[in-house]
Amino acid sequence: MEEANTDVIQGTLDMLILKTLSLGPMHGFGITRRVQQISRGVFKVNPGSLLTALQRLERAGWLDAEWRQTENSRRAKIYTLTRAGRRQLEAETSDWARRASAIARLLKAEA
Amino acid sequence: MSVWRQIVRGSRALTNGNASDQDIADEVDAYLEQAVAELEASGLSPAEARRIAQLELGNRTAIREQVRSYGWENALGTLFSDVRYAARRLRNSPGFTAVSALTLALGIGASAAIFSAVNPILFEPLPYPHPERIVVFIGLVGAAVATQALVTLLFGVSRLDPVTFLAVIVLMASVSAIACGVPAWRATRIDPALALRAE
């Protein structure tokens, strides 16, 4: 049986990260798990892409990063959504909604 | 875009590459440790948990490189290493270096010399009465020489046909007269008060 594609839809990774972090501060692996759980396994985040995206979003000022102790007493880089990040998330969400509904309309179109 | 953060992070990676590399490596390792911890919590043996987590993560070096390749400082780093490489190669082959330097020096010198000769003719008024006649003369001589190259393409007309030359002169003169005259004529019709207000 062919394995189902679990790649995150291109261009949506930033939005997924911002949304996941809007639920609370998290480390990289936590984001991976959350995305996988909430999407019920439809999307699996690639660790390399995730860590690169975190770097980019942090530099853009949308996230703050800090090395901290986690609940299982390991050190991890914890990411927190900033105010600018929240605004960006709103912008990306509404843009996504606009485009997704357009795709849905197109797919439903009948001759 | 947080320009400040871009500058700070980028220059830190440039000046203190080891620290920022270490930070990335630490984060990749921490990612793995969290994955292992979660798998252990779900009841797997530590060895099994680590094996599965490593499989899921993939090649750690590749991930580090992928994360590291983000940022403007990488383009700068590539540029620096290119320059260093070029310098090393030039030092290793002094003959080639001398020839290229000489070629460049001659090229620049020749361009400067030609420009200094052409500059007064093309861009500055000549120190003679009626400089335009000199220009017309140069143009006519130039055209006479240039037609030599076109002679095989001509049909039914001689290379120095006076009528053609005269027609071209009249045409060019009228084009420049119109190009200069029309805007000037329009400018004279504008109310000076209006022109001053638009200043």
PDB file of all heavy atoms in Angstrom, chain B residues 60-99:
ATOM      1  N   ARG B  60      21.263  14.024  11.910  1.00  0.00           N
ATOM      2  CA  ARG B  60      21.360  15.243  12.708  1.00  0.00           C
ATOM      3  C   ARG B  60      22.269  16.285  12.066  1.00  0.00           C
ATOM      4  O   ARG B  60      21.994  17.478  12.130  1.00  0.00           O
ATOM      5  CB  ARG B  60      21.879  14.895  14.109  1.00  0.00           C
ATOM      6  CG  ARG B  60      20.747  14.743  15.091  1.00  0.00           C
ATOM      7  CD  ARG B  60      21.272  14.613  16.476  1.00  0.00           C
ATOM      8  NE  ARG B  60      21.708  13.240  16.735  1.00  0.00           N
ATOM      9  CZ  ARG B  60      22.250  12.852  17.888  1.00  0.00           C
ATOM     10  NH1 ARG B  60      22.436  13.727  18.850  1.00  0.00           N
ATOM     11  NH2 ARG B  60      22.608  11.603  18.076  1.00  0.00           N
ATOM     12  N   THR B  61      23.352  15.815  11.452  1.00  0.00           N
ATOM     13  CA  THR B  61      24.270  16.761  10.805  1.00  0.00           C
ATOM     14  C   THR B  61      23.556  17.494   9.675  1.00  0.00           C
ATOM     15  O   THR B  61      23.715  18.706   9.501  1.00  0.00           O
ATOM     16  CB  THR B  61      25.495  16.012  10.248  1.00  0.00           C
ATOM     17  OG1 THR B  61      25.966  15.124  11.263  1.00  0.00           O
ATOM     18  CG2 THR B  61      26.577  16.975   9.869  1.00  0.00           C
ATOM     19  N   ALA B  62      22.758  16.751   8.914  1.00  0.00           N
ATOM     20  CA  ALA B  62      22.039  17.367   7.800  1.00  0.00           C
ATOM     21  C   ALA B  62      21.082  18.436   8.314  1.00  0.00           C
ATOM     22  O   ALA B  62      20.951  19.510   7.719  1.00  0.00           O
ATOM     23  CB  ALA B  62      21.283  16.299   7.017  1.00  0.00           C
ATOM     24  N   ILE B  63      20.413  18.141   9.438  1.00  0.00           N
ATOM     25  CA  ILE B  63      19.471  19.108   9.999  1.00  0.00           C
ATOM     26  C   ILE B  63      20.217  20.356  10.461  1.00  0.00           C
ATOM     27  O   ILE B  63      19.787  21.485  10.194  1.00  0.00           O
ATOM     28  CB  ILE B  63      18.683  18.472  11.167  1.00  0.00           C
ATOM     29  CG1 ILE B  63      17.789  17.361  10.628  1.00  0.00           C
ATOM     30  CG2 ILE B  63      17.865  19.518  11.892  1.00  0.00           C
ATOM     31  CD1 ILE B  63      17.031  16.629  11.690  1.00  0.00           C
ATOM     32  N   ARG B  64      21.346  20.142  11.146  1.00  0.00           N
ATOM     33  CA  ARG B  64      22.139  21.293  11.601  1.00  0.00           C
ATOM     34  C   ARG B  64      22.515  22.171  10.424  1.00  0.00           C
ATOM     35  O   ARG B  64      22.384  23.398  10.490  1.00  0.00           O
ATOM     36  CB  ARG B  64      23.410  20.797  12.300  1.00  0.00           C
ATOM     37  CG  ARG B  64      23.197  20.336  13.720  1.00  0.00           C
ATOM     38  CD  ARG B  64      24.455  20.524  14.529  1.00  0.00           C
ATOM     39  NE  ARG B  64      25.533  19.630  14.112  1.00  0.00           N
ATOM     40  CZ  ARG B  64      25.708  18.409  14.627  1.00  0.00           C
ATOM     41  NH1 ARG B  64      24.905  17.967  15.564  1.00  0.00           N
ATOM     42  NH2 ARG B  64      26.701  17.662  14.203  1.00  0.00           N
ATOM     43  N   GLU B  65      22.951  21.517   9.337  1.00  0.00           N
ATOM     44  CA  GLU B  65      23.354  22.293   8.162  1.00  0.00           C
ATOM     45  C   GLU B  65      22.166  23.049   7.578  1.00  0.00           C
ATOM     46  O   GLU B  65      22.285  24.192   7.151  1.00  0.00           O
ATOM     47  CB  GLU B  65      23.960  21.366   7.101  1.00  0.00           C
ATOM     48  CG  GLU B  65      25.353  20.903   7.424  1.00  0.00           C
ATOM     49  CD  GLU B  65      26.288  22.071   7.693  1.00  0.00           C
ATOM     50  OE1 GLU B  65      26.326  22.997   6.874  1.00  0.00           O
ATOM     51  OE2 GLU B  65      26.956  22.061   8.741  1.00  0.00           O
ATOM     52  N   GLN B  66      21.017  22.387   7.569  1.00  0.00           N
ATOM     53  CA  GLN B  66      19.818  23.026   6.997  1.00  0.00           C
ATOM     54  C   GLN B  66      19.462  24.275   7.791  1.00  0.00           C
ATOM     55  O   GLN B  66      19.171  25.333   7.221  1.00  0.00           O
ATOM     56  CB  GLN B  66      18.660  22.024   7.018  1.00  0.00           C
ATOM     57  CG  GLN B  66      17.433  22.516   6.262  1.00  0.00           C
ATOM     58  CD  GLN B  66      16.286  21.530   6.375  1.00  0.00           C
ATOM     59  OE1 GLN B  66      16.453  20.397   6.802  1.00  0.00           O
ATOM     60  NE2 GLN B  66      15.103  21.972   5.998  1.00  0.00           N
ATOM     61  N   VAL B  67      19.493  24.157   9.130  1.00  0.00           N
ATOM     62  CA  VAL B  67      19.146  25.306   9.966  1.00  0.00           C
ATOM     63  C   VAL B  67      20.196  26.394   9.808  1.00  0.00           C
ATOM     64  O   VAL B  67      19.878  27.582   9.730  1.00  0.00           O
ATOM     65  CB  VAL B  67      19.029  24.885  11.448  1.00  0.00           C
ATOM     66  CG1 VAL B  67      18.727  26.079  12.323  1.00  0.00           C
ATOM     67  CG2 VAL B  67      17.960  23.822  11.610  1.00  0.00           C
ATOM     68  N   ARG B  68      21.446  25.978   9.740  1.00  0.00           N
ATOM     69  CA  ARG B  68      22.546  26.925   9.660  1.00  0.00           C
ATOM     70  C   ARG B  68      22.504  27.728   8.359  1.00  0.00           C
ATOM     71  O   ARG B  68      22.982  28.854   8.316  1.00  0.00           O
ATOM     72  CB  ARG B  68      23.858  26.176   9.727  1.00  0.00           C
ATOM     73  CG  ARG B  68      24.878  26.744  10.660  1.00  0.00           C
ATOM     74  CD  ARG B  68      26.036  25.804  10.699  1.00  0.00           C
ATOM     75  NE  ARG B  68      26.752  25.843   9.440  1.00  0.00           N
ATOM     76  CZ  ARG B  68      27.775  26.661   9.213  1.00  0.00           C
ATOM     77  NH1 ARG B  68      28.209  27.444  10.145  1.00  0.00           N
ATOM     78  NH2 ARG B  68      28.384  26.663   8.050  1.00  0.00           N
ATOM     79  N   SER B  69      21.970  27.112   7.305  1.00  0.00           N
ATOM     80  CA  SER B  69      22.024  27.770   6.000  1.00  0.00           C
ATOM     81  C   SER B  69      21.024  28.916   5.900  1.00  0.00           C
ATOM     82  O   SER B  69      21.005  29.632   4.907  1.00  0.00           O
ATOM     83  CB  SER B  69      21.756  26.769   4.886  1.00  0.00           C
ATOM     84  OG  SER B  69      20.431  26.312   4.977  1.00  0.00           O
ATOM     85  N   TYR B  70      20.204  29.117   6.944  1.00  0.00           N
ATOM     86  CA  TYR B  70      19.276  30.245   6.884  1.00  0.00           C
ATOM     87  C   TYR B  70      19.988  31.520   7.311  1.00  0.00           C
ATOM     88  O   TYR B  70      20.788  31.503   8.245  1.00  0.00           O
ATOM     89  CB  TYR B  70      18.063  30.017   7.799  1.00  0.00           C
ATOM     90  CG  TYR B  70      17.252  31.263   7.963  1.00  0.00           C
ATOM     91  CD1 TYR B  70      16.454  31.698   6.922  1.00  0.00           C
ATOM     92  CD2 TYR B  70      17.337  32.029   9.103  1.00  0.00           C
ATOM     93  CE1 TYR B  70      15.755  32.872   7.029  1.00  0.00           C
ATOM     94  CE2 TYR B  70      16.648  33.211   9.225  1.00  0.00           C
ATOM     95  CZ  TYR B  70      15.856  33.627   8.184  1.00  0.00           C
ATOM     96  OH  TYR B  70      15.179  34.809   8.291  1.00  0.00           O
ATOM     97  N   GLY B  71      19.698  32.620   6.673  1.00  0.00           N
ATOM     98  CA  GLY B  71      20.209  33.913   7.110  1.00  0.00           C
ATOM     99  C   GLY B  71      21.086  34.599   6.088  1.00  0.00           C
ATOM    100  O   GLY B  71      21.749  33.949   5.287  1.00  0.00           O
ATOM    101  N   TRP B  72      21.063  35.913   6.134  1.00  0.00           N
ATOM    102  CA  TRP B  72      21.831  36.701   5.160  1.00  0.00           C
ATOM    103  C   TRP B  72      23.320  36.512   5.357  1.00  0.00           C
ATOM    104  O   TRP B  72      24.105  36.688   4.431  1.00  0.00           O
ATOM    105  CB  TRP B  72      21.479  38.179   5.279  1.00  0.00           C
ATOM    106  CG  TRP B  72      21.717  38.746   6.644  1.00  0.00           C
ATOM    107  CD1 TRP B  72      20.811  38.801   7.665  1.00  0.00           C
ATOM    108  CD2 TRP B  72      22.912  39.317   7.156  1.00  0.00           C
ATOM    109  NE1 TRP B  72      21.384  39.361   8.765  1.00  0.00           N
ATOM    110  CE2 TRP B  72      22.675  39.699   8.490  1.00  0.00           C
ATOM    111  CE3 TRP B  72      24.183  39.559   6.617  1.00  0.00           C
ATOM    112  CZ2 TRP B  72      23.646  40.289   9.287  1.00  0.00           C
ATOM    113  CZ3 TRP B  72      25.144  40.148   7.418  1.00  0.00           C
ATOM    114  CH2 TRP B  72      24.876  40.514   8.738  1.00  0.00           C
ATOM    115  N   GLU B  73      23.744  36.154   6.590  1.00  0.00           N
ATOM    116  CA  GLU B  73      25.179  36.089   6.862  1.00  0.00           C
ATOM    117  C   GLU B  73      25.839  34.983   6.058  1.00  0.00           C
ATOM    118  O   GLU B  73      27.047  35.013   5.832  1.00  0.00           O
ATOM    119  CB  GLU B  73      25.432  35.896   8.355  1.00  0.00           C
ATOM    120  CG  GLU B  73      24.980  34.560   8.918  1.00  0.00           C
ATOM    121  CD  GLU B  73      23.543  34.617   9.401  1.00  0.00           C
ATOM    122  OE1 GLU B  73      22.849  35.571   9.034  1.00  0.00           O
ATOM    123  OE2 GLU B  73      23.123  33.719  10.139  1.00  0.00           O
ATOM    124  N   ASN B  74      25.032  34.005   5.590  1.00  0.00           N
ATOM    125  CA  ASN B  74      25.612  32.922   4.805  1.00  0.00           C
ATOM    126  C   ASN B  74      26.099  33.399   3.451  1.00  0.00           C
ATOM    127  O   ASN B  74      27.148  32.982   2.980  1.00  0.00           O
ATOM    128  CB  ASN B  74      24.592  31.798   4.626  1.00  0.00           C
ATOM    129  CG  ASN B  74      24.461  30.989   5.878  1.00  0.00           C
ATOM    130  OD1 ASN B  74      25.389  30.304   6.264  1.00  0.00           O
ATOM    131  ND2 ASN B  74      23.339  31.105   6.556  1.00  0.00           N
ATOM    132  N   ALA B  75      25.309  34.306   2.843  1.00  0.00           N
ATOM    133  CA  ALA B  75      25.732  34.863   1.556  1.00  0.00           C
ATOM    134  C   ALA B  75      27.044  35.598   1.732  1.00  0.00           C
ATOM    135  O   ALA B  75      27.967  35.474   0.924  1.00  0.00           O
ATOM    136  CB  ALA B  75      24.661  35.810   1.015  1.00  0.00           C
ATOM    137  N   LEU B  76      27.150  36.356   2.829  1.00  0.00           N
ATOM    138  CA  LEU B  76      28.373  37.095   3.116  1.00  0.00           C
ATOM    139  C   LEU B  76      29.527  36.144   3.371  1.00  0.00           C
ATOM    140  O   LEU B  76      30.646  36.356   2.906  1.00  0.00           O
ATOM    141  CB  LEU B  76      28.126  37.989   4.336  1.00  0.00           C
ATOM    142  CG  LEU B  76      28.769  39.357   4.309  1.00  0.00           C
ATOM    143  CD1 LEU B  76      28.275  40.142   3.108  1.00  0.00           C
ATOM    144  CD2 LEU B  76      28.447  40.104   5.584  1.00  0.00           C
ATOM    145  N   GLY B  77      29.224  35.068   4.108  1.00  0.00           N
ATOM    146  CA  GLY B  77      30.259  34.077   4.397  1.00  0.00           C
ATOM    147  C   GLY B  77      30.785  33.449   3.117  1.00  0.00           C
ATOM    148  O   GLY B  77      32.003  33.269   2.947  1.00  0.00           O
ATOM    149  N   THR B  78      29.846  33.142   2.186  1.00  0.00           N
ATOM    150  CA  THR B  78      30.260  32.572   0.904  1.00  0.00           C
ATOM    151  C   THR B  78      31.149  33.549   0.147  1.00  0.00           C
ATOM    152  O   THR B  78      32.165  33.169  -0.436  1.00  0.00           O
ATOM    153  CB  THR B  78      29.021  32.251   0.050  1.00  0.00           C
ATOM    154  OG1 THR B  78      28.072  31.604   0.881  1.00  0.00           O
ATOM    155  CG2 THR B  78      29.366  31.355  -1.102  1.00  0.00           C
ATOM    156  N   LEU B  79      30.755  34.810   0.192  1.00  0.00           N
ATOM    157  CA  LEU B  79      31.538  35.832  -0.500  1.00  0.00           C
ATOM    158  C   LEU B  79      32.958  35.884   0.068  1.00  0.00           C
ATOM    159  O   LEU B  79      33.937  35.891  -0.678  1.00  0.00           O
ATOM    160  CB  LEU B  79      30.856  37.187  -0.340  1.00  0.00           C
ATOM    161  CG  LEU B  79      31.597  38.376  -0.952  1.00  0.00           C
ATOM    162  CD1 LEU B  79      31.524  38.314  -2.461  1.00  0.00           C
ATOM    163  CD2 LEU B  79      31.019  39.685  -0.460  1.00  0.00           C
ATOM    164  N   PHE B  80      33.054  35.904   1.401  1.00  0.00           N
ATOM    165  CA  PHE B  80      34.375  35.958   2.036  1.00  0.00           C
ATOM    166  C   PHE B  80      35.226  34.758   1.620  1.00  0.00           C
ATOM    167  O   PHE B  80      36.395  34.910   1.284  1.00  0.00           O
ATOM    168  CB  PHE B  80      34.247  35.980   3.556  1.00  0.00           C
ATOM    169  CG  PHE B  80      33.802  37.306   4.089  1.00  0.00           C
ATOM    170  CD1 PHE B  80      33.158  37.395   5.312  1.00  0.00           C
ATOM    171  CD2 PHE B  80      34.020  38.464   3.366  1.00  0.00           C
ATOM    172  CE1 PHE B  80      32.739  38.620   5.792  1.00  0.00           C
ATOM    173  CE2 PHE B  80      33.600  39.687   3.842  1.00  0.00           C
ATOM    174  CZ  PHE B  80      32.961  39.764   5.064  1.00  0.00           C
ATOM    175  N   SER B  81      34.615  33.569   1.650  1.00  0.00           N
ATOM    176  CA  SER B  81      35.436  32.400   1.340  1.00  0.00           C
ATOM    177  C   SER B  81      35.826  32.410  -0.137  1.00  0.00           C
ATOM    178  O   SER B  81      36.917  31.955  -0.488  1.00  0.00           O
ATOM    179  CB  SER B  81      34.725  31.112   1.729  1.00  0.00           C
ATOM    180  OG  SER B  81      33.483  31.045   1.116  1.00  0.00           O
ATOM    181  N   ASP B  82      34.950  32.956  -1.008  1.00  0.00           N
ATOM    182  CA  ASP B  82      35.322  33.092  -2.419  1.00  0.00           C
ATOM    183  C   ASP B  82      36.516  34.022  -2.565  1.00  0.00           C
ATOM    184  O   ASP B  82      37.454  33.736  -3.321  1.00  0.00           O
ATOM    185  CB  ASP B  82      34.145  33.648  -3.230  1.00  0.00           C
ATOM    186  CG  ASP B  82      33.152  32.566  -3.601  1.00  0.00           C
ATOM    187  OD1 ASP B  82      33.459  31.384  -3.339  1.00  0.00           O
ATOM    188  OD2 ASP B  82      32.082  32.894  -4.139  1.00  0.00           O
ATOM    189  N   VAL B  83      36.478  35.138  -1.846  1.00  0.00           N
ATOM    190  CA  VAL B  83      37.572  36.108  -1.943  1.00  0.00           C
ATOM    191  C   VAL B  83      38.870  35.491  -1.429  1.00  0.00           C
ATOM    192  O   VAL B  83      39.929  35.633  -2.048  1.00  0.00           O
ATOM    193  CB  VAL B  83      37.215  37.380  -1.139  1.00  0.00           C
ATOM    194  CG1 VAL B  83      38.436  38.283  -1.006  1.00  0.00           C
ATOM    195  CG2 VAL B  83      36.080  38.132  -1.810  1.00  0.00           C
ATOM    196  N   ARG B  84      38.758  34.765  -0.309  1.00  0.00           N
ATOM    197  CA  ARG B  84      39.956  34.115   0.242  1.00  0.00           C
ATOM    198  C   ARG B  84      40.528  33.111  -0.756  1.00  0.00           C
ATOM    199  O   ARG B  84      41.728  33.055  -0.984  1.00  0.00           O
ATOM    200  CB  ARG B  84      39.613  33.405   1.552  1.00  0.00           C
ATOM    201  CG  ARG B  84      39.800  34.262   2.786  1.00  0.00           C
ATOM    202  CD  ARG B  84      39.947  33.395   4.026  1.00  0.00           C
ATOM    203  NE  ARG B  84      38.818  32.502   4.198  1.00  0.00           N
ATOM    204  CZ  ARG B  84      37.685  32.830   4.805  1.00  0.00           C
ATOM    205  NH1 ARG B  84      37.546  34.036   5.289  1.00  0.00           N
ATOM    206  NH2 ARG B  84      36.699  31.963   4.920  1.00  0.00           N
ATOM    207  N   TYR B  85      39.623  32.346  -1.364  1.00  0.00           N
ATOM    208  CA  TYR B  85      40.050  31.336  -2.330  1.00  0.00           C
ATOM    209  C   TYR B  85      40.749  32.006  -3.512  1.00  0.00           C
ATOM    210  O   TYR B  85      41.821  31.577  -3.943  1.00  0.00           O
ATOM    211  CB  TYR B  85      38.830  30.548  -2.805  1.00  0.00           C
ATOM    212  CG  TYR B  85      39.132  29.507  -3.847  1.00  0.00           C
ATOM    213  CD1 TYR B  85      39.866  28.370  -3.517  1.00  0.00           C
ATOM    214  CD2 TYR B  85      38.693  29.663  -5.152  1.00  0.00           C
ATOM    215  CE1 TYR B  85      40.146  27.416  -4.470  1.00  0.00           C
ATOM    216  CE2 TYR B  85      38.968  28.714  -6.108  1.00  0.00           C
ATOM    217  CZ  TYR B  85      39.694  27.597  -5.774  1.00  0.00           C
ATOM    218  OH  TYR B  85      39.975  26.665  -6.711  1.00  0.00           O
ATOM    219  N   ALA B  86      40.148  33.085  -4.007  1.00  0.00           N
ATOM    220  CA  ALA B  86      40.737  33.785  -5.145  1.00  0.00           C
ATOM    221  C   ALA B  86      42.118  34.305  -4.782  1.00  0.00           C
ATOM    222  O   ALA B  86      43.073  34.165  -5.559  1.00  0.00           O
ATOM    223  CB  ALA B  86      39.820  34.938  -5.573  1.00  0.00           C
ATOM    224  N   ALA B  87      42.244  34.873  -3.581  1.00  0.00           N
ATOM    225  CA  ALA B  87      43.541  35.418  -3.159  1.00  0.00           C
ATOM    226  C   ALA B  87      44.591  34.313  -3.092  1.00  0.00           C
ATOM    227  O   ALA B  87      45.725  34.486  -3.542  1.00  0.00           O
ATOM    228  CB  ALA B  87      43.401  36.098  -1.807  1.00  0.00           C
ATOM    229  N   ARG B  88      44.177  33.165  -2.584  1.00  0.00           N
ATOM    230  CA  ARG B  88      45.121  32.053  -2.468  1.00  0.00           C
ATOM    231  C   ARG B  88      45.586  31.600  -3.850  1.00  0.00           C
ATOM    232  O   ARG B  88      46.776  31.393  -4.094  1.00  0.00           O
ATOM    233  CB  ARG B  88      44.431  30.908  -1.740  1.00  0.00           C
ATOM    234  CG  ARG B  88      45.298  30.294  -0.671  1.00  0.00           C
ATOM    235  CD  ARG B  88      44.569  29.358   0.250  1.00  0.00           C
ATOM    236  NE  ARG B  88      43.524  28.576  -0.319  1.00  0.00           N
ATOM    237  CZ  ARG B  88      42.267  28.595   0.128  1.00  0.00           C
ATOM    238  NH1 ARG B  88      41.936  29.387   1.120  1.00  0.00           N
ATOM    239  NH2 ARG B  88      41.353  27.837  -0.420  1.00  0.00           N
ATOM    240  N   ARG B  89      44.611  31.474  -4.770  1.00  0.00           N
ATOM    241  CA  ARG B  89      44.958  31.025  -6.111  1.00  0.00           C
ATOM    242  C   ARG B  89      45.894  32.013  -6.791  1.00  0.00           C
ATOM    243  O   ARG B  89      46.833  31.643  -7.490  1.00  0.00           O
ATOM    244  CB  ARG B  89      43.695  30.850  -6.968  1.00  0.00           C
ATOM    245  CG  ARG B  89      42.833  29.670  -6.575  1.00  0.00           C
ATOM    246  CD  ARG B  89      43.597  28.380  -6.607  1.00  0.00           C
ATOM    247  NE  ARG B  89      44.119  28.089  -7.947  1.00  0.00           N
ATOM    248  CZ  ARG B  89      43.531  27.270  -8.808  1.00  0.00           C
ATOM    249  NH1 ARG B  89      42.426  26.637  -8.476  1.00  0.00           N
ATOM    250  NH2 ARG B  89      44.037  27.078 -10.007  1.00  0.00           N
ATOM    251  N   LEU B  90      45.640  33.310  -6.595  1.00  0.00           N
ATOM    252  CA  LEU B  90      46.471  34.326  -7.245  1.00  0.00           C
ATOM    253  C   LEU B  90      47.884  34.290  -6.690  1.00  0.00           C
ATOM    254  O   LEU B  90      48.861  34.464  -7.423  1.00  0.00           O
ATOM    255  CB  LEU B  90      45.853  35.710  -7.036  1.00  0.00           C
ATOM    256  CG  LEU B  90      44.589  35.989  -7.848  1.00  0.00           C
ATOM    257  CD1 LEU B  90      43.994  37.318  -7.472  1.00  0.00           C
ATOM    258  CD2 LEU B  90      44.894  35.959  -9.342  1.00  0.00           C
ATOM    259  N   ARG B  91      47.997  34.032  -5.362  1.00  0.00           N
ATOM    260  CA  ARG B  91      49.321  33.983  -4.752  1.00  0.00           C
ATOM    261  C   ARG B  91      50.100  32.785  -5.296  1.00  0.00           C
ATOM    262  O   ARG B  91      51.311  32.850  -5.480  1.00  0.00           O
ATOM    263  CB  ARG B  91      49.185  33.901  -3.243  1.00  0.00           C
ATOM    264  CG  ARG B  91      50.407  34.431  -2.508  1.00  0.00           C
ATOM    265  CD  ARG B  91      50.181  34.419  -1.023  1.00  0.00           C
ATOM    266  NE  ARG B  91      49.655  33.144  -0.582  1.00  0.00           N
ATOM    267  CZ  ARG B  91      48.781  33.000   0.404  1.00  0.00           C
ATOM    268  NH1 ARG B  91      48.308  34.062   1.014  1.00  0.00           N
ATOM    269  NH2 ARG B  91      48.352  31.825   0.775  1.00  0.00           N
ATOM    270  N   ASN B  92      49.382  31.701  -5.582  1.00  0.00           N
ATOM    271  CA  ASN B  92      50.065  30.487  -6.025  1.00  0.00           C
ATOM    272  C   ASN B  92      50.553  30.579  -7.457  1.00  0.00           C
ATOM    273  O   ASN B  92      51.427  29.813  -7.850  1.00  0.00           O
ATOM    274  CB  ASN B  92      49.142  29.274  -5.874  1.00  0.00           C
ATOM    275  CG  ASN B  92      49.024  28.873  -4.424  1.00  0.00           C
ATOM    276  OD1 ASN B  92      49.782  29.352  -3.588  1.00  0.00           O
ATOM    277  ND2 ASN B  92      48.068  28.016  -4.130  1.00  0.00           N
ATOM    278  N   SER B  93      49.966  31.460  -8.270  1.00  0.00           N
ATOM    279  CA  SER B  93      50.418  31.563  -9.659  1.00  0.00           C
ATOM    280  C   SER B  93      50.752  33.016  -9.964  1.00  0.00           C
ATOM    281  O   SER B  93      49.949  33.736 -10.544  1.00  0.00           O
ATOM    282  CB  SER B  93      49.348  31.032 -10.608  1.00  0.00           C
ATOM    283  OG  SER B  93      48.111  31.575 -10.275  1.00  0.00           O
ATOM    284  N   PRO B  94      51.958  33.466  -9.588  1.00  0.00           N
ATOM    285  CA  PRO B  94      52.327  34.879  -9.728  1.00  0.00           C
ATOM    286  C   PRO B  94      52.357  35.331 -11.186  1.00  0.00           C
ATOM    287  O   PRO B  94      52.037  36.485 -11.459  1.00  0.00           O
ATOM    288  CB  PRO B  94      53.717  34.962  -9.090  1.00  0.00           C
ATOM    289  CG  PRO B  94      54.144  33.570  -8.819  1.00  0.00           C
ATOM    290  CD  PRO B  94      52.986  32.665  -8.946  1.00  0.00           C
ATOM    291  N   GLY B  95      52.717  34.414 -12.099  1.00  0.00           N
ATOM    292  CA  GLY B  95      52.771  34.804 -13.507  1.00  0.00           C
ATOM    293  C   GLY B  95      51.410  35.225 -14.009  1.00  0.00           C
ATOM    294  O   GLY B  95      51.233  36.314 -14.580  1.00  0.00           O
ATOM    295  N   PHE B  96      50.414  34.389 -13.741  1.00  0.00           N
ATOM    296  CA  PHE B  96      49.040  34.697 -14.156  1.00  0.00           C
ATOM    297  C   PHE B  96      48.569  35.996 -13.517  1.00  0.00           C
ATOM    298  O   PHE B  96      47.956  36.846 -14.159  1.00  0.00           O
ATOM    299  CB  PHE B  96      48.138  33.535 -13.748  1.00  0.00           C
ATOM    300  CG  PHE B  96      46.690  33.784 -13.997  1.00  0.00           C
ATOM    301  CD1 PHE B  96      46.161  33.734 -15.269  1.00  0.00           C
ATOM    302  CD2 PHE B  96      45.849  34.087 -12.941  1.00  0.00           C
ATOM    303  CE1 PHE B  96      44.829  33.976 -15.487  1.00  0.00           C
ATOM    304  CE2 PHE B  96      44.520  34.332 -13.156  1.00  0.00           C
ATOM    305  CZ  PHE B  96      44.011  34.273 -14.432  1.00  0.00           C
ATOM    306  N   THR B  97      48.885  36.150 -12.221  1.00  0.00           N
ATOM    307  CA  THR B  97      48.479  37.352 -11.500  1.00  0.00           C
ATOM    308  C   THR B  97      49.066  38.594 -12.157  1.00  0.00           C
ATOM    309  O   THR B  97      48.359  39.585 -12.381  1.00  0.00           O
ATOM    310  CB  THR B  97      48.959  37.275 -10.044  1.00  0.00           C
ATOM    311  OG1 THR B  97      48.541  36.049  -9.501  1.00  0.00           O
ATOM    312  CG2 THR B  97      48.412  38.429  -9.234  1.00  0.00           C
ATOM    313  N   ALA B  98      50.365  38.519 -12.509  1.00  0.00           N
ATOM    314  CA  ALA B  98      51.021  39.685 -13.113  1.00  0.00           C
ATOM    315  C   ALA B  98      50.371  40.020 -14.448  1.00  0.00           C
ATOM    316  O   ALA B  98      50.083  41.185 -14.731  1.00  0.00           O
ATOM    317  CB  ALA B  98      52.507  39.385 -13.296  1.00  0.00           C
ATOM    318  N   VAL B  99      50.119  38.991 -15.268  1.00  0.00           N
ATOM    319  CA  VAL B  99      49.532  39.242 -16.589  1.00  0.00           C
ATOM    320  C   VAL B  99      48.144  39.837 -16.455  1.00  0.00           C
ATOM    321  O   VAL B  99      47.796  40.811 -17.131  1.00  0.00           O
ATOM    322  CB  VAL B  99      49.494  37.927 -17.411  1.00  0.00           C
ATOM    323  CG1 VAL B  99      48.673  38.125 -18.678  1.00  0.00           C
ATOM    324  CG2 VAL B  99      50.900  37.497 -17.765  1.00  0.00           C
TER     325      VAL B  99
END
